[in-house]
Amino acid sequence: MREALMDKLALCLACRREVLDEVANDGEEGFVEGLLKRKVADEDTLLAALSQVLDIPLASAEDLGSGHTDFARRVPIHFLKRHLLLPMPHAGKVALRDPMDLEAAGDLCALLHIPPLFPVLASKARILSAINHAYDEARGSVEEMAQNLEEESGESILSEIEEAADLLDDSNDAPIIKLVNHIIAQAVKANASDIHIEPYQDRFVIRYRMDGMLYELMRPAKWMQAPLVSRIKIMAKLNIAEKRLPQDGRLEVKIGGQSVDVRISTVPTAFGERVVLRLLNKANTLLGLSDFGMADDTYAALNRLIRLPNGIILVTGPTGSGKTTTLYAALAEINREDVNIVTIEDPVEYRIPGIGQIQVNPKIGLTFAKGLRSIVRQDPDVILVGEIRDQETAEIAVQSALTGHLVFSTLHTNDSASAITRLVDIGIEPFLIASAVKAVMAQRLVRILCPECKVPYLPLPEEIDTLGPDGECLRGRELFQPKGCPACLQSGYKGRMSIYEIMEMDSALKKLVLKTSDSNPIQNAAVRGGMVTLRKDGIRKIREGLTTIAEVLRVT
């Protein structure tokens, strides 16, 4: 019987029978895994052949996405992931990748105390995705977990942490460890950008930043503060004994198949250490310029500027306003085989194929300025400097622009005209600024109204007045305001979009820069030349029903 099945499988896969026998007799790796390593066929083809020969059906999407997660509380996740099994007792089935691993399926039924299940075949990715989803759904809420912790004594929790052999083992049952893992997992699930752990005199607060706004998640008992902060410091390999000095660290965690880079900062306060975790989900795809919702004139101008042969293009705005995302999108737009692009960043946030990316490391003397000097000797066409922080970096960037390179960089200023003032303050001569800088783009992020629950209204005259003269076009027009629904977590907003102003350095502005570095006359001259300000671009988004007056006023 076995011989006949092997012959039939060899025929289906168009491979030699000896290869199948060799893999079947190798006890160190599974049958399917062995065939995939030998490149006998791709996974889908292999599973289809096994299904046909062994008369085992392929799992349907309904099977894997049924939502039944009762088993997640009774079976260790590592067992299912190691054997690539997904029990579906409600349907009387078990999804597996390797039909030769029926012994593990039998062990699973014994664990669940149920009769044998009928096997169905599924790919590794589909099984892992369903397992991750099941265990994520089966977890209790953070508040529930914190409440359970409060019912236990502080001494018992601390002793559990001290006795744990491996604090980085996710399967560890120490409650504080589970709480930290769950806080991070929930933040990733909610697309939060930061987690704030804030100690006060009589309380301890954990907040998430979502869409640029902070939301309180929970208030654990005060005694949890020290062990929770210690756990985070251990994960980031920081010194847990040092509580008087600020510390910075980073770690990479995997949550539900997603790789997340976490940057951790601790600072001492009067009531204990304050911790902020910044999350960068590497699974998020890099956006293109056309995905930003720019107005047609803004998109056309930026698309033209990033294709200039030389000069400096600056992007300005406060921390967290999307400057780096815009620059990455610009690089991806011009990334071709015949263009040599090199970047120096702190940190490298997204990996882009075909681009040389350098990580700043001040501990060994690799600063922006030193790295930029080396980049210029790498024969680049386009250079990205993460941020211009000092005179030396600014001078090298200007010289690079004047010697035939296109340089992208960022500055922390309030608007585009203030970038000129900032460069003069750093120590760059006005005539060099006029020659090298081609354009300055300021940007901000505004929250987008939730499409599910936004409601129309007629704004009051006083509300329109707050926008100044630019807001007159909204007078008497029906606008939208937030309401709140489950889809947007009752906030009324879902997601964010950018608003922009692009100040191109025409001949009139260049002459003005030679006379003055005061941002006000520069801004006025740019507006007379046709520049759309941040406020005006925000008002366009209000008219389109995408955001609100309050949001535009908040960021401009």
Side-chain angles (χ1 to χ4, degrees):
M1 180 68 175
R2 182 182 181 278
E3 300 297 317
L5 286 173
M6 284 296 199
D7 286 338
K8 195 173 179 184
L9 186 59
L11 189 63
C12 281
L13 294 171
C15 72
R16 298 197 327 273
R17 166 67 192 275
E18 299 81 52
V19 175
L20 299 184
D21 287 337
E22 179 190 331
V23 176
N25 294 326
D26 186 352
E28 292 187 8
E29 59 186 358
F31 184 66
V32 169
E33 191 63 35
L35 292 177
L36 290 175
K37 280 186 179 177
R38 288 165 176 78
K39 296 183 170 55
V40 169
D42 62 65
E43 190 176 23
D44 290 339
T45 304
L46 180 54
L47 290 178
L50 286 167
S51 173
Q52 181 184 336
V53 171
L54 301 175
D55 198 23
I56 299 176
L58 295 170
S60 66
E62 291 77 18
D63 287 337
L64 297 175
S66 63
H68 290 265
T69 61
D70 297 343
F71 66 85
R73 300 186 186 277
R74 298 157 63 190
V75 182
I77 189 171
H78 301 290
F79 176 82
L80 298 182
K81 285 190 171 183
R82 184 167 69 249
H83 294 288
L84 292 173
L85 296 170
L86 180 74
M88 297 173 285
H90 60 283
K93 300 176 185 176
V94 58
L96 43 80
R97 185 209 200 189
D98 194 335
M100 306 302 179
D101 201 7
L102 290 174
E103 186 179 343
D107 294 340
L108 175 63
C109 293
L111 269 174
L112 291 169
H113 304 294
I114 57 174
L117 298 171
F118 185 76
V120 290
L121 298 179
S123 67
K124 179 178 181 179
R126 293 179 71 197
I127 290 174
L128 287 177
S129 175
I131 290 171
N132 288 326
H133 177 74
Y135 279 80
D136 192 41
E137 289 292 318
R139 277 189 185 133
S141 68
V142 178
E143 291 85 351
E144 246 179 67
M145 195 174 293
Q147 193 174 347
N148 294 338
L149 284 176
E150 287 179 25
E151 291 168 5
E152 303 184 43
S153 70
E155 289 180 9
S156 67
I157 299 295
L158 291 172
S159 65
E160 273 192 75
I161 290 177
E162 287 165 8
E163 289 167 12
D166 181 4
L167 289 174
L168 296 178
D169 185 359
D170 284 340
S171 65
N172 199 306
D173 288 331
I176 288 289
I177 294 176
K178 289 200 295 185
L179 179 60
V180 171
N181 290 347
H182 197 72
I183 287 169
I184 296 174
Q186 288 297 100
V188 172
K189 193 175 177 183
N191 283 324
S193 60
D194 302 85
I195 304 170
H196 290 240
I197 297 170
E198 304 166 350
Y200 299 101
Q201 184 171 5
D202 55 353
R203 68 188 194 282
F204 174 44
V205 180
I206 296 177
R207 300 196 287 174
Y208 286 171
R209 186 179 293 280
M210 291 183 286
D211 291 337
M213 304 296 285
L214 280 169
Y215 298 92
E216 186 173 309
L217 172 73
M218 60 185 291
R219 292 193 179 198
K222 180 70 174 171
W223 65 263
M224 292 186 204
Q225 177 185 321
L228 192 140
V229 170
S230 293
R231 166 60 183 164
I232 291 170
K233 289 170 79 173
I234 286 168
M235 290 173 73
K237 296 182 173 61
L238 300 178
N239 182 357
I240 61 169
E242 180 55 78
K243 300 179 181 180
R244 302 163 301 170
L245 294 173
Q247 295 187 66
D248 293 306
R250 65 190 309 166
L251 67 139
E252 189 170 311
V253 294
K254 283 197 172 180
I255 298 167
Q258 301 178 69
S259 181
V260 181
D261 194 30
V262 185
R263 279 180 273 159
I264 295 167
S265 168
T266 72
V267 294
T269 70
F271 305 112
E273 288 181 281
R274 192 179 193 280
V275 184
V276 174
L277 295 83
R278 170 151 285 192
L279 309 175
L280 178 69
N281 192 339
K282 295 182 178 180
N284 288 347
T285 52
L286 196 61
L287 295 173
L289 286 180
S290 57
D291 300 323
F292 288 176
M294 295 181 187
D296 291 342
D297 54 345
T298 304
Y299 178 76
L302 187 56
N303 216 19
R304 174 171 43 79
L305 289 167
I306 63 176
R307 287 172 168 78
L308 291 174
N310 55 61
I312 296 180
I313 296 172
L314 293 170
V315 182
T316 76
T319 303
S321 58
K323 302 186 297 296
T324 305
T325 304
T326 299
L327 286 176
Y328 273 124
L331 290 184
E333 196 83 17
I334 59 175
N335 185 17
R336 303 188 309 274
E337 286 186 8
D338 59 337
V339 178
N340 182 20
I341 303 174
V342 187
T343 77
I344 179 156
E345 308 164 61
D346 183 21
V348 175
E349 293 192 4
Y350 295 94
R351 311 282 178 183
I352 308 177
I355 292 179
Q357 295 173 274
I358 301 168
Q359 167 77 53
V360 166
N361 191 346
K363 290 180 182 176
I364 58 171
L366 180 54
T367 60
F368 276 114
K370 191 169 184 179
L372 188 49
R373 285 186 190 279
S374 301
I375 286 174
V376 174
R377 296 193 285 271
Q378 290 278 313
D379 184 32
D381 299 300
V382 180
I383 301 169
L384 167 64
V385 185
E387 184 184 345
I388 292 178
R389 295 178 180 172
D390 52 45
Q391 182 176 356
E392 188 180 7
T393 308
E395 285 176 346
I396 304 167
V398 167
Q399 291 302 325
S400 303
L402 293 175
T403 52
H405 304 96
L406 181 61
V407 180
F408 295 117
S409 191
T410 69
L411 272 178
H412 287 282
T413 62
N414 289 329
D415 54 31
S416 50
S418 301
I420 306 299
T421 311
R422 175 79 177 125
L423 288 174
V424 172
D425 287 344
I426 287 175
I428 306 301
E429 294 291 341
F431 71 90
L432 289 175
I433 296 171
S435 302
V437 177
K438 300 297 183 185
V440 183
M441 183 173 79
Q443 76 174 78
R444 297 287 190 280
L445 291 175
V446 294
R447 290 183 293 168
I448 302 171
L449 280 164
C450 174
E452 303 289 331
C453 65
K454 65 180 182 180
V455 291
Y457 81 109
L458 200 62
L460 296 171
E462 305 87 73
E463 196 177 358
I464 300 295
D465 293 341
T466 59
L467 291 169
D470 294 331
E472 288 302 314
C473 61
L474 301 178
R475 204 173 292 281
R477 178 186 287 269
E478 188 179 71
L479 305 180
F480 288 88
Q481 62 185 0
K483 181 184 178 186
C485 67
C488 60
L489 303 176
Q490 304 301 329
S491 68
Y493 297 94
K494 196 171 184 182
R496 289 188 292 175
M497 69 190 307
S498 296
I499 56 174
Y500 300 92
E501 71 176 28
I502 298 181
M503 183 179 79
E504 294 192 56
M505 296 293 288
D506 57 18
S507 56
L509 278 178
K510 288 180 180 180
K511 288 177 184 175
L512 185 58
V513 168
L514 294 174
K515 296 176 184 175
T516 178
S517 62
D518 186 346
S519 62
N520 287 327
I522 294 173
Q523 172 94 352
N524 293 336
V527 170
R528 286 195 300 273
M531 180 182 80
V532 176
T533 63
L534 284 168
R535 178 68 61 85
K536 279 184 180 176
D537 196 33
I539 289 169
R540 290 198 289 204
K541 301 293 190 289
I542 295 170
R543 288 180 64 180
E544 293 167 15
L546 297 172
T547 191
T548 62
I549 292 174
E551 271 298 290
V552 171
L553 288 173
R554 180 176 67 84
V555 299
T556 59

